[in-house]
Amino acid sequence: MRYRRIPLHDMKVDFKKWSALIPVIMLPLGIYLGYRAFRGHSLADVLASVAAIPHLNLAAAFGCAAASYLCLSGFDTLAIRYAGRSLPYRKILLTSFVSLSIGHNVGVAALSSGTLRYRFYSGFGLTGVEVGKIIVFCGITVGLGLMTLGGIALLLHPQSLQEMLGVASPLARAAGVLCLALSAAYVLLSWKLRRPLTIRGHRLYLPSPLIALAQIGIGTLNFGFVAATLHQLLAAASTYLKMVAAYVMGNVAGLISHVPGGLGVLEYVISTLIGEGDVIGALIAFRIVYFVIPLLIGSLLLLASEVHRHRNGADDRRAAQRT
């Protein structure tokens, strides 16, 4: 039996058609992972850990988490401008929040929040190439934000690394300078380099220097708010800069592991590096504030948007039949 070889460039995939499966997969998976995050703790343990936190600190933690998700919508706003498109902010905010509130819990951002971004942005008229640019841009912004915030923390409070890992302060300061130098080099490249970078056969066009600076600013501010969320829940156990250093290391470890939401990894790193007070109780509260509640809201918004999309599609089909 002979088989006809089909050239790759002749193979066509209807991504918009297949994107309809994204909510079917992501919605139940996100809910399951949210459940799995707390199945090892009884409801009484969770409630007791939250009740032990002062109300003012808990309210501040919710405020910092909300500010972080607003910053994350800034990632997408800059990315859309970088891709040469424009959208109303309400659409960007919806897409960013749904994609990341679920993606944070599912893990592997390119496959979770990335596919959800494609589902929404393709419905708003963006092409697959443009959505790909947005995903890469946001990933770079994450790296820049973590690197810059970590560098600032190591420069201002190098003894935190000495207390946590036994690293001498001069070495910690040197690591901080290196982090900030790499962020500065990114801006310099965006200013000086006019041609695209080629990485593994893929061309990467750097943004304008202004957008590059905005990336670093919004990325750093976002992770600053996430660390502030943790600090409010662990205020008695750590200074803010020490918490920043611990969070950056825990987050990097979580990103490398690709564990959904850094589940277990973040808790292990922070409880090991901080190790004072009711760390586990505060980390459970952090999971609720930053991951679980946004996951529930994001899942409801995803469900509502799919119902709205289905109704609009049905209305369009009926209108077409009448004409």
Side-chain angles (χ1 to χ4, degrees), residues 45 65 85 145-146 158 163 165 184 200 214 227 235 284 293 298 311:
D45 290 338
R85 298 296 298 268
L146 274 175
E163 293 170 4
L165 299 177
R200 294 184 179 180
I284 291 175
I293 291 178
R311 285 179 177 173

Side-chain angles (χ1 to χ4, degrees), residues 120-131:
F120 279 89
Y121 285 138
S122 63
F124 297 148
L126 274 66
T127 67
V129 172
E130 289 167 340
V131 177

Side-chain angles (χ1 to χ4, degrees), residues 18-30 116 119 302 306:
W18 287 105
S19 72
L21 294 176
I22 293 170
V24 176
I25 297 169
M26 291 297 180
L27 186 57
L29 181 60
L116 284 168
R119 176 65 173 169
L302 175 60
E306 287 302 313

Side-chain angles (χ1 to χ4, degrees), residues 38-105:
F38 293 100
R39 67 181 180 184
H41 304 277
S42 68
L43 179 60
D45 290 338
V46 173
L47 293 176
S49 68
V50 175
I53 298 169
H55 292 169
L56 188 59
N57 289 71
L58 189 60
F62 273 109
C64 291
S68 168
Y69 277 97
L70 281 176
C71 288
L72 289 170
S73 71
F75 286 26
D76 283 58
T77 302
L78 289 173
I80 287 170
R81 181 174 297 182
Y82 163 74
R85 298 296 298 268
S86 62
L87 282 176
Y89 178 67
R90 68 179 186 279
K91 293 183 178 180
I92 297 173
L93 180 60
L94 173 67
T95 302
S96 172
F97 182 78
V98 171
S99 301
L100 293 170
S101 62
I102 295 176
H104 281 160
N105 289 274

Side-chain angles (χ1 to χ4, degrees), residues 44-305:
D45 290 338
V46 173
L47 293 176
S49 68
V50 175
I53 298 169
H55 292 169
L56 188 59
N57 289 71
L58 189 60
F62 273 109
C64 291
S68 168
Y69 277 97
L70 281 176
C71 288
L72 289 170
S73 71
F75 286 26
D76 283 58
T77 302
L78 289 173
I80 287 170
R81 181 174 297 182
Y82 163 74
R85 298 296 298 268
S86 62
L87 282 176
Y89 178 67
R90 68 179 186 279
K91 293 183 178 180
I92 297 173
L93 180 60
L94 173 67
T95 302
S96 172
F97 182 78
V98 171
S99 301
L100 293 170
S101 62
I102 295 176
H104 281 160
N105 289 274
V106 173
V108 192
L111 298 178
S112 54
S113 59
T115 52
L116 284 168
R117 277 190 173 108
Y118 177 80
R119 176 65 173 169
F120 279 89
Y121 285 138
S122 63
F124 297 148
L126 274 66
T127 67
V129 172
E130 289 167 340
V131 177
K133 288 181 179 180
I134 291 168
I135 293 169
V136 171
F137 182 94
C138 290
I140 292 172
T141 308
V142 167
L144 289 169
L146 274 175
M147 188 163 55
T148 306
L149 184 65
I152 293 170
L154 290 175
L155 276 181
L156 295 180
H157 197 261
Q159 58 268 35
S160 63
L161 211 58
Q162 185 171 9
E163 293 170 4
M164 293 186 293
L165 299 177
V167 177
S169 292
L171 189 58
R173 282 197 180 94
V177 169
L178 177 61
C179 288
L180 296 180
L182 289 172
S183 295
Y186 176 76
V187 177
L188 184 63
L189 278 175
S190 70
W191 177 39
K192 291 291 188 181
L193 195 64
R194 302 300 179 186
R195 64 181 185 277
L197 294 172
T198 303
I199 302 173
R200 294 184 179 180
H202 298 282
R203 288 186 173 186
L204 175 64
Y205 290 86
L206 293 176
S208 68
L210 189 61
I211 290 180
L213 282 170
Q215 272 184 280
I216 293 172
I218 197 75
T220 305
L221 191 61
N222 165 63
F223 287 112
F225 277 124
V226 183
T229 305
L230 259 172
H231 178 252
Q232 287 301 317
L233 302 172
L234 274 166
S238 169
T239 63
Y240 176 68
L241 287 175
K242 185 176 180 180
M243 177 56 66
V244 166
Y247 171 73
V248 169
M249 285 187 278
N251 203 357
V252 170
L255 289 172
I256 292 171
S257 69
H258 288 304
V259 173
L263 184 59
V265 179
L266 184 65
E267 282 83 352
Y268 173 78
V269 171
I270 290 177
S271 60
T272 301
L273 298 181
I274 301 299
E276 300 174 17
D278 187 14
V279 175
I280 299 301
L283 288 171
I284 291 175
F286 175 69
R287 282 281 161 194
I288 295 171
V289 170
Y290 196 81
F291 289 91
V292 175
I293 291 178
L295 170 65
L296 295 175
I297 297 172
S299 298
L300 289 173
L301 288 173
L302 175 60
L303 182 61
S305 66

